[in-house]
Amino acid sequence: MNILVTGGAGYIGAHTVVELQNAGHEVVVIDNLSNSSENMLRQVSKITGKKVTFHKVDIRDSQALDEIMKLYWFDCCVHFAGLKAVGESVMKPLAYYQNNVAGTLTLLEALSRHGCANLIFSSSATVYGQPKELPITEACPTGGITNPYGWTKCMIEQILMDLYRAEPAWNVALLRYFNPAGAHESGLIGERPRGIPTNLMPYIARVAAGRLPELQVFGNDYDTGDGTGVRDYIHVVDLALGHVKALRVMEQKGGLAVYNLGRGEGCSVLEMVHAFEQVNEVVVPYVIKARRPGDVAACYADPSKAERELGWKARLSIEDMCRSAWQWQKNQGKGSD
């Protein structure tokens, strides 16, 4: 199939491009490079041995999207493009709504004009807000979200559901990610946040490398095994493979479907720290800080629907995430900020 990947130069996008190419699909990437690098796609080509067709395009640019879609015929769009930092979204809500929500509307209008009605959307477990029950199934209610980033994901999901109801010719898969971590086993691509990382794994890796003094652990008084927050971490390669599976099922039966992509197991902050230390034989100094507003004690998935309907299951372990993230960090040298 011919696949348009928006945000394909980013962390999850680049890993998904690898798996799409490995599965035999033709891929065109568009990305505005606001929080990514074209070099990531050059590294993807080294991994797959295939050229990655890339155009620097912002999804809010309707004219540029039209020009791309006149050049290529797309069977499906895998939509990653969007701002993604929870804390930043609280400080800059208008930028998040403009980029993520308005950008998606512009993209959908362009896809409609050019006859592509198949979309896989990069959503998030943040749409569940404060979990009503654990593990979280796709039937759990959404809403009660504590930050604009999460609301943009929820709003886009609603837009896509409404679009499907109005125009059943659309085929839509909403993939709700839990906590992606790790890097490709080659060490050539991985998570490369600019400035201070907001996600746990790259923060741990930079502390281990001596590039940050210590890890800040927000809260050790939650009702969890060791008092620190528990999350469902999923290896980014497993996550990427979930998109390939969703594409295959979409091609076979279509419709609208929602899937949780997680391992279905909780791991606390300190468990992750200790696993990283043990696997990589390094020390990760940390300091306990006060809880952050909006954080929940525990959040982990019931991914059984994805296994049942997509034939997908996370295979890689916490140890695999730690090992690959450290290899990626070591490969970055002094220029990874």
Side-chain angles (χ1 to χ4, degrees), residues 48 51 103 132 140 155 183 194 233 238 249 259 267 300 327:
T48 65
K51 181 179 183 295
K132 305 297 185 294
C140 290
M155 289 176 179
R194 294 179 179 174
Y233 296 95
D238 278 331
V249 170
Y259 298 103
C267 175
Y300 52 93
Q327 183 60 51

Side-chain angles (χ1 to χ4, degrees), residues 85-92 96 147 198:
V86 170
E88 183 184 58
S89 77
V90 175
M91 303 301 294
K92 300 178 180 179
Y96 273 70
N147 59 80
T198 57

Side-chain angles (χ1 to χ4, degrees), residues 2-4 26-30 51 53-55 65-75 114 116:
N2 296 321
I3 314 298
L4 174 65
E26 297 296 325
V27 176
V28 174
V29 170
I30 61 173
K51 181 179 183 295
T53 302
F54 170 70
H55 297 271
L65 290 175
D66 278 335
E67 290 172 0
I68 293 298
M69 293 182 195
K70 287 174 184 175
L71 286 175
Y72 310 95
W73 167 259
F74 296 113
D75 297 295
H114 295 275
C116 179

Side-chain angles (χ1 to χ4, degrees), residues 244-254 257 259 309-311:
V244 179
K245 293 284 192 180
L247 186 62
R248 185 175 304 156
V249 170
M250 176 181 288
E251 187 179 16
Q252 292 169 349
K253 67 177 186 177
Y259 298 103
E309 296 187 10
L310 301 181

Side-chain angles (χ1 to χ4, degrees), residues 146-164:
T146 57
N147 59 80
Y149 163 75
W151 276 117
T152 68
K153 293 296 188 183
C154 195
M155 289 176 179
I156 293 168
E157 283 198 4
Q158 188 63 54
I159 289 166
L160 291 168
M161 291 176 184
D162 290 341
L163 176 60
Y164 174 72

Side-chain angles (χ1 to χ4, degrees), residues 223-302:
D223 185 17
T224 62
D226 59 21
T228 62
V230 168
R231 297 293 182 269
D232 188 336
Y233 296 95
I234 175 173
H235 199 293
V236 66
V237 172
D238 278 331
L239 186 58
L241 288 167
H243 296 75
V244 179
K245 293 284 192 180
L247 186 62
R248 185 175 304 156
V249 170
M250 176 181 288
E251 187 179 16
Q252 292 169 349
K253 67 177 186 177
L256 183 144
V258 181
Y259 298 103
N260 288 336
L261 296 185
R263 293 178 67 246
E265 300 175 5
C267 175
S268 77
V269 174
L270 290 185
E271 285 174 336
M272 182 67 84
V273 169
H274 298 326
F276 195 97
E277 290 179 321
Q278 183 173 0
V279 167
N280 298 310
E281 299 181 346
V282 294
V283 175
V284 180
Y286 64 87
V287 60
I288 303 296
K289 297 285 189 177
R291 294 185 185 187
R292 292 180 298 193
D295 276 355
V296 299
C299 178
Y300 52 93
D302 176 350

